[in-house]
C-alpha cells in the first residue's frame, strides 16, 4: 500500500486545465441531454465457464490469455449486447490459481455498445483487457489504494444535463491510449487523438456513456478502496459474445 506521501493532490485548476478536462473526459464526447435514470437491474454473472475456477466466468481463451500472470484482481464488464448500453460489473480476486467472485453491480457502457476498433466519438466502449493504474475525481480521496488525483478540473461542465454533473466525482482510469502513472485527466494520447482516450470507470447517471463504464457511487467507493497496485488490477470488458471468444 502507498504511504500518504505518494498521493498526488492537485491545486485548483486554471481555466485552461478545466477546458482540457471537458474536451477529453470520457472520450471527449458530450453526453446527451435528458438522460433518464434506469430502473435498477439485478446484478448477474454469466454462467459460462462457472465450473472452472481457474477462469473468470464468461471470458474465453482469446481474452483470458491477455490477463497478466501477475494480476490478482480483475474487474469484469459484461455488456448485454454489442449494441447495448447496459452491462454488469463484477469484481473478482485471485486466490492461488482460483478466481473468486466478490461483488457485482449494474452498470452502463458506451451508448452505442462495444467495438474492437474504438475511435474517438464513436460512442462505443473498447473491448479488451486493460490495466488499472490511476484514479482521481472532484471529491476527496475516499481511501484509494491507486494513486489518486483530486482536482476541480474533473468536474463536468454545467451546460451538460444535470444528471451528468457528478459523473466524475470519482474516476478510475482505464489504461487505453494513455500514459500510466499520470492523472486520469492527462490529455496525452500515445496512439493519437483519433484512437480516443480518457476512458474511465466513473459514477453512473442512469444511461449510456460516450465510451466509459459507469457504476454507482457505492461501487466506485468500493473499487477505489479495493484495487491495489501491488495486486496488478485489470479490467476485462466487452459484450458477452465477444468476451467468450476462443480466438
Amino acid at each position: 500500500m502507498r504511504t500518504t506521501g505518494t498521493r498526488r493532490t492537485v491545486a485548483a485548476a486554471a481555466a485552461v486545465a478545466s477546458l482540457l478536462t471537458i474536451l477529453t473526459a470520457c472520450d471527449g464526447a458530450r453526453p446527451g441531454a435528458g438522460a433518464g435514470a434506469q430502473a435498477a437491474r439485478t446484478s448477474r454473472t454469466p454462467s459460462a465457464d462457472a465450473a472452472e475456477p481457474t477462469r473468470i466466468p464468461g471470458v474465453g481463451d482469446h481474452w483470458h490469455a491477455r490477463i497478466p500472470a501477475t494480476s490478482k484482481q480483475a474487474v469484469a464488464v459484461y455488456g448485454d449486447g454489442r449494441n447495448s448500453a447496459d452491462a454488469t460489473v463484477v469484481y473478482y480476486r485471485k486466490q492461488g490459481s482460483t478466481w473468486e467472485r466478490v461483488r457485482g453491480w449494474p452498470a452502463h457502457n458506451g451508448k452505442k455498445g462495444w467495438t474492437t476498433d474504438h475511435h474517438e466519438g464513436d460512442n462505443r466502449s473498447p473491448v479488451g483487457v486493460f490495466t488499472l493504474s490511476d484514479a482521481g475525481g472532484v471529491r476527496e480521496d475516499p481511501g484509494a489504494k491507486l494513486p489518486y488525483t483530486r482536482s476541480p478540473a474533473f468536474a463536468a461542465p454545467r451546460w451538460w444535463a444535470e444528471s451528468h454533473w457528478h459523473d466524475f466525482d470519482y474516476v478510475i482510469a482505464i489504461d487505453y491510449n494513455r500514459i500510466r502513472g499520470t492523472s486520469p485527466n492527462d490529455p496525452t494520447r500515445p496512439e493519437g487523438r483519433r484512437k480516443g482516450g480518457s476512458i474511465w470507470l466513473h459514477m453512473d447517471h442512469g444511461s449510456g456513456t460516450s465510451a466509459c463504464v459507469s457504476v454507482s457511487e457505492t461501487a466506485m467507493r468500493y473499487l477505489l478502496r479495493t484495487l491495489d497496485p501491488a495486486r496488478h488490477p485489470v479490467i476485462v470488458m466487452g459484450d458477452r459474445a465477444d468476451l467468450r471468444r476462443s480466438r
Side-chain angles (χ1 to χ4, degrees), residues 208-222:
T209 69
S210 297
C212 295
V213 174
S214 61
V215 290
S216 67
E217 177 178 349
T218 298
M220 283 301 301
R221 291 176 69 88
Y222 179 88

Side-chain angles (χ1 to χ4, degrees), residues 50-172:
E52 197 173 345
T54 60
R55 305 291 296 268
I56 295 176
V59 179
D61 292 343
H62 180 80
W63 297 116
H64 226 289
R66 287 161 172 73
I67 299 174
T70 55
S71 294
K72 306 298 182 184
Q73 295 178 318
V75 177
V77 185
Y78 301 103
D80 281 4
R82 184 177 185 276
N83 300 313
S84 173
D86 296 328
T88 299
V89 163
V90 180
Y91 166 65
Y92 294 94
R93 66 185 172 205
K94 194 174 187 181
Q95 303 280 28
S97 61
T98 299
W99 284 103
E100 299 177 347
R101 181 192 190 278
V102 182
R103 293 188 65 174
W105 307 268
H108 290 97
N109 50 264
K111 58 176 67 76
K112 290 188 177 180
W114 298 90
T115 179
T116 55
D117 186 24
H118 174 69
H119 292 89
E120 186 167 3
D122 65 10
N123 290 320
R124 292 181 179 271
S125 297
V127 178
V129 177
F130 308 100
T131 53
L132 299 170
S133 305
D134 302 282
V138 175
R139 292 170 62 177
E140 183 177 354
D141 183 350
K145 294 181 179 178
L146 296 172
Y148 188 94
T149 299
R150 184 187 184 190
S151 172
F154 282 99
R158 289 306 187 255
W159 65 78
W160 287 7
E162 187 174 352
S163 58
H164 295 264
W165 287 1
H166 295 285
D167 281 9
F168 312 133
D169 280 2
Y170 295 127
V171 309
I172 298 171

